[in-house]
Amino acid sequence: MDDLFDSIDMNGAPAREGIAEGAVLLHGKALPYETALLAAVDVIAAQAPFRRMVTPSGYVMSVAMTNCGRAGWVTDRTGYRYDRQDPDSGRPWPAMPPVFRVLAAEAALEAGYGGFAPDSCLINRYLPGARLSLHQDKDERDFSQPIVSVSLGLPAAFQFGGVKRKDAVKRYPLRHGDVVVWGGPSRLFHHGVLTVKDGTHPLLGRQRINLTFRAAL
DNA sequence: AAGTCACA
DNA sequence: CGAC
């Protein structure tokens, strides 16, 4: 159940916005961690470089991906799965940095999901023109655990729909530092990201980075 | 099919 | 928005 009232910051903008049953957008939640998050992404990407994966139907995704944690989400011609190893290197994914765990657990708790302990973080890099079409996160073992999504860099329009693909979809602008948490009744809701527009972010330049935390195994 | 295209 |  969402709170009766959204919290309001000093500028009058909602800091916490309910977007569906069990789903919350936490505006600017990641800002206190931005420097540590970005440094950690660089370390991870040096060990497991961003790569554009292939879908089962043979298309190359516009979003470039890497992972950290005990398992990483991957796709290839054989399908979607969580893999403990980076298929490109054969090595385990880089460990999940403590700052990642802390932010994900804090955000989940604020959304009403205590004890969130993600074992996987998918890191998505959107250059201008990249997009992610409407889909469900359903490759995880335990749907009782929520999803935590952290936005960094260029803004993007987040689509959030329902459990059925034809359900109505709403759009929410996501800016640097925003965190979306969804779970419970909305755990399997369809979601996506519209084509990222060109622009320049002071810290990240011409890119959007998204961190998606999941309990996958 | 987490993508792309055809068509209304 | 549906078909592939």
Side-chain angles (χ1 to χ4, degrees):
Chain A
M1 182 80 170
D2 292 329
D3 288 344
L4 231 46
F5 303 99
D6 287 342
S7 58
I8 304 293
D9 72 13
M10 285 190 296
N11 299 318
R16 183 182 189 287
E17 178 184 4
I19 64 172
E21 261 189 282
V24 180
L25 169 47
L26 303 168
H27 288 102
K29 171 65 186 173
L31 289 179
Y33 304 95
E34 63 179 2
T35 305
L37 294 173
L38 294 175
V41 169
D42 281 346
V43 170
I44 292 162
Q47 302 171 246
F50 285 102
R51 82 294 303 264
R52 292 172 61 190
M53 299 184 194
V54 179
T55 66
S57 50
Y59 291 103
V60 179
M61 298 181 73
S62 60
V63 177
M65 302 175 164
T66 186
N67 290 275
C68 67
R70 292 180 59 80
W73 187 87
V74 296
T75 175
D76 59 23
R77 293 307 299 262
T78 71
Y80 305 147
R81 67 182 179 279
Y82 282 94
D83 200 320
R84 291 176 179 274
Q85 297 186 327
D86 177 349
D88 279 11
S89 68
R91 302 189 311 263
W93 296 103
M96 195 181 302
V99 63
F100 278 31
R101 298 181 181 286
V102 169
L103 172 58
E106 272 189 13
L109 182 61
E110 283 185 35
Y113 305 100
F116 181 53
D119 54 29
S120 180
C121 177
L122 173 63
I123 306 174
N124 290 158
R125 185 188 65 193
Y126 298 72
L127 301 184
R131 63 186 300 273
L132 198 57
S133 63
L134 210 59
H135 67 279
Q136 294 170 294
D137 288 16
K138 58 181 181 184
D139 301 314
E140 301 74 29
R141 194 179 302 253
D142 181 6
F143 297 148
S144 76
Q145 295 302 305
I147 305 288
V148 174
S149 172
V150 177
S151 292
L152 299 166
L154 289 178
F158 183 58
Q159 298 178 296
F160 205 66
V163 72
K164 288 173 292 187
R165 199 183 218 283
K166 58 193 332 183
D167 287 339
V169 174
K170 291 180 181 176
R171 293 181 185 184
Y172 303 88
L174 294 183
R175 302 179 187 80
H176 182 259
D178 288 349
V179 179
V180 182
V181 182
W182 66 98
S186 58
R187 174 61 179 76
L188 291 173
F189 278 16
H190 288 260
H191 55 282
V193 176
L194 298 182
T195 304
V196 172
K197 294 179 187 169
D198 199 1
T200 305
H201 185 273
L203 286 178
L204 277 152
R206 291 173 32 130
Q207 62 179 334
R208 170 175 190 266
I209 297 287
N210 178 78
L211 314 175
T212 306
F213 295 93
R214 305 183 179 98
L217 300 179

